[in-house]
Amino acid sequence: MTKAEAFLRKLVRTWPSLPYMALGAALAAMYIANSGTAWLSDTEMNGGNLSTMFIAASLGSGGIMVLATFFVPRMRRWLERPNSALLGGLLAGLGSLIVVLIGPYYLYFIVPEGFNWYVFVAGSFLFGAGLGIVSLRCGQLYGALPPRQVIVYAAFSQIVVALCFFVLVGSPDWAPVPGGPSLIGILFFVGLPVAAGFLASLSRYSERSTADIEVIQSRSALPKSFWKLLAVVFVFSCIVASVYASVVAVSSIATTLSGSRLVMLVRMGLAVELVCVAVGTEGERLNFGKVYSVVMVVSVALVACLPLVSVLHTVLSQIVSLASVVFELFLWCTLAFVVYQRRLSAVMVFGYGYGAYLLGTGIGWLFGVQALGSLFSAVGEAFAYMIMAIIVLACAFLIFSEREFDRLFAPVEEGAPTLDELLMKDLAADEAAHDEAEPQRKGRFGAAIEALAEAHQLSPRETDVLRCLAMGYNSSTTASKLHISWNTVRTHTRNVYGKLGVHSQQELIALVDAETARE
């Protein structure tokens, strides 16, 4: 092991949440790109190039995530390699660099006329595709976490997004070429996706591993409620993006950037509040079904009111954008909960779920720029917004209601924990279980466990499960003690029974007692 690897290992052990902040760096990279803060030059008079960047990046990111669902086993193994996420970050960084270099003050006049736009779109698409790879790896990492810890880390990631944005906004405006993007902006734009990939790659030094978690990789294991959720996610993201895009397309860059600052400030405040709720309250108050309903109702009200208050049109559109941010955070946590509780493949769940959100956002933005104006002319602005509000309302309470949310997290087998039970687990208790890692008994009992494990070639984790079962723990208690999912315990239990040649926990205990008596 090199000195650099030893340092990184110590760093991750000292700061266990560091690899999970890759999500924050990836979201910051996407938001900074879509806000234009880091790469727009002084020749930009409207949101034309900003819209093109947003559409290409969103479709690239969503497309690569959905495409991954067709190669789940192979993609899962590849993502668990140490440098896969870093490669995704480097691809995204290369795309960012292409976007900067094709700008009006660099290679714009060197590239053959007519090809500039295609190079710009290609760079934007590559940027999005690279972040899609990083997002899939982040999905694997978050899917291995208990629900409450997912909430805390996801909220901290939102704070990372806000901090990166405000550091960039407050940085000096010195630019390598007068009129072009600032040097700090270029460094952020190119460096953030690379940093996201690097942080995700640090998971190799984490004590939590996704490689040894047995997952279900069949699409048939996805409940019907999940597919209903996908439909709502796609429609909601499509409509919200089209509403915001219609405002950006006719607004000045200064107005757009000012609105981005407002959204980011509120975003950071909401993230801090979510951390406080997750850490300082009881689990039963973390009702994500209620959060879903509230976000949907607020979004419907805002979309319906947009044409009625023309003076505040831009402000309300920014609030709609903020509702989209809250929905994205809700979606990310929900997908991680599904992976953890049902032990489904994160590539499959996040590929479909988050991929649908990104594709809906890209398509919605394209519709908002290209077709929404024509729709306004044909049926009237007020009627068009009312139709969109009704569609969101129908999705929220007919296709995927709060009741469907409960069905999504219904136990798959008798004895499996519900989402409410998982959310009620205290963070301190989770960490204590993780620090203990495994219950230990000294003396003849421990020697008997080690002897049986060696004689029957049990893996280290199977040995942990054997020890818990021999101590009389049920599957739920074993999962809590070992800090793994209930489904994973059940899988290891079947393996232990098969290798030891027993058919019940009582037979297993009798076998261990007999071995203990011989020690």
Side-chain angles (χ1 to χ4, degrees):
M1 182 184 297
T2 64
K3 290 183 178 180
E5 290 177 328
F7 171 78
L8 292 175
R9 184 179 296 276
K10 291 180 181 179
L11 180 63
V12 172
R13 287 183 176 180
T14 304
W15 190 356
S17 63
L18 186 60
Y20 301 91
M21 293 304 101
L23 175 62
L27 292 175
M30 182 66 82
Y31 190 87
I32 287 173
N34 295 338
S35 69
T37 308
W39 59 273
L40 288 175
S41 64
D42 61 359
T43 62
E44 306 289 342
M45 303 303 296
N46 54 45
N49 285 335
L50 188 63
S51 295
T52 302
M53 171 71 180
F54 187 98
I55 294 167
S58 297
L59 294 181
S61 187
I64 200 70
M65 295 188 77
V66 173
L67 182 63
T69 62
F70 293 94
F71 311 95
V72 173
R74 185 180 304 174
M75 194 68 182
R76 182 195 173 215
R77 290 192 298 270
W78 182 75
L79 286 171
E80 286 168 352
R81 294 180 180 177
N83 294 320
S84 59
L86 181 58
L87 176 61
L90 290 172
L91 288 176
L94 176 61
S96 304
L97 186 60
I98 292 174
V99 169
V100 172
L101 293 180
I102 201 61
Y105 294 105
Y106 292 96
L107 301 180
Y108 184 84
F109 296 105
I110 298 177
V111 176
E113 187 176 356
F115 282 90
N116 304 77
W117 185 84
Y118 295 101
V119 175
F120 174 70
V121 170
S124 302
F125 187 88
L126 186 62
F127 169 80
L131 284 183
I133 295 174
V134 176
S135 297
L136 284 172
R137 180 54 184 161
C138 288
Q140 286 185 320
L141 296 178
Y142 276 76
L145 292 174
R148 185 175 283 211
Q149 202 154 24
V150 168
I151 298 171
V152 174
Y153 285 176
F156 274 126
S157 293
Q158 297 296 321
I159 297 174
V160 170
V161 176
L163 290 176
C164 289
F165 179 82
F166 285 122
V167 169
L168 174 59
V169 170
S171 298
D173 294 331
W174 184 84
V177 177
S182 69
L183 177 62
I184 300 297
I186 295 173
L187 293 177
F188 265 78
F189 188 37
V190 177
L192 269 176
V194 178
F198 173 73
L199 289 174
S201 70
L202 292 180
S203 60
R204 76 183 83 173
Y205 304 116
S206 176
E207 294 182 3
R208 299 180 188 272
S209 174
T210 60
D212 61 350
I213 298 176
E214 185 170 342
V215 298
I216 302 172
Q217 304 184 71
S218 172
R219 291 182 181 84
S220 61
L222 292 169
K224 292 182 180 179
S225 298
F226 180 80
W227 299 110
K228 292 181 179 180
L229 175 63
L230 290 194
V232 174
V233 166
F234 182 82
V235 172
F236 176 85
S237 60
C238 190
I239 289 179
V240 169
S242 64
V243 169
Y244 187 59
S246 66
V247 177
V248 171
V250 297
S251 301
S252 66
I253 293 298
T255 301
T256 301
L257 294 180
S258 177
S260 298
R261 295 186 184 101
L262 174 63
V263 170
M264 193 59 67
L265 186 63
V266 180
R267 182 177 192 165
M268 184 165 62
L270 289 175
V272 172
E273 177 65 21
L274 185 57
V275 171
C276 294
V277 170
V279 174
T281 64
E282 296 298 326
E284 58 267 18
R285 294 185 61 184
L286 296 174
N287 192 325
F288 265 65
K290 294 291 184 184
V291 172
Y292 164 79
S293 297
V294 170
V295 170
M296 285 299 186
V297 169
V298 171
S299 301
V300 168
L302 290 172
V303 173
C305 291
L306 275 174
L308 304 179
V309 282
S310 56
V311 176
L312 299 176
H313 193 281
T314 302
V315 175
L316 286 181
S317 68
Q318 296 290 351
I319 299 176
V320 171
S321 175
L322 180 62
S324 177
V325 170
V326 176
F327 183 82
E328 182 181 13
L329 176 61
F330 157 84
L331 176 64
W332 185 269
C333 293
T334 300
L335 295 176
F337 298 165
V338 171
V339 172
Y340 183 83
Q341 188 208 29
R342 293 179 174 267
R343 198 42 56 196
L344 297 171
S345 169
V347 174
M348 184 170 60
V349 173
F350 279 90
Y352 281 126
Y354 202 62
Y357 174 82
L358 292 169
L359 287 178
T361 300
I363 293 172
W365 196 284
L366 182 63
F367 176 80
V369 172
Q370 300 293 333
L372 195 56
S374 301
L375 182 63
F376 288 162
S377 301
V379 302
E381 185 176 357
F383 187 66
Y385 277 125
M386 187 61 65
I387 291 175
M388 290 189 288
I390 292 173
I391 292 174
V392 175
L393 189 65
C395 288
F397 297 102
L398 294 180
I399 298 178
F400 188 84
S401 62
E402 189 175 337
R403 180 177 298 178
E404 288 291 340
F405 186 86
D406 294 334
R407 290 174 181 170
L408 179 62
F409 293 101
V412 291
E413 295 182 32
E414 184 178 356
T418 64
L419 177 61
D420 289 339
E421 291 172 344
L422 293 173
L423 283 171
M424 288 177 66
K425 292 177 63 177
D426 188 68
L427 280 171
D430 287 337
E431 290 301 324
H434 182 58
D435 291 339
E436 292 173 8
E438 59 187 44
Q440 297 285 344
R441 276 192 180 181
K442 304 298 183 181
R444 292 188 297 172
F445 176 83
I449 294 295
E450 293 175 1
L452 287 172
E454 183 177 357
H456 297 277
Q457 297 182 338
L458 301 184
S459 69
R461 185 55 81 188
E462 289 170 349
T463 304
D464 297 339
V465 172
L466 168 62
R467 182 178 290 106
C468 287
L469 294 174
M471 294 172 69
Y473 296 152
N474 59 25
S475 296
S476 296
T477 304
T478 300
S480 177
K481 291 290 184 182
L482 300 181
H483 208 70
I484 57 179
S485 76
W486 182 85
N487 284 331
T488 302
V489 171
R490 296 286 291 178
T491 299
H492 288 316
T493 299
R494 286 194 295 268
N495 294 339
V496 170
Y497 283 0
K499 291 181 179 181
L500 296 183
V502 298
H503 302 89
S504 68
Q505 187 171 6
Q506 291 302 320
E507 291 184 20
L508 182 144
I509 292 174
L511 179 63
V512 172
D513 287 343
E515 184 67 29
T516 303
R518 285 196 293 267
E519 293 295 331

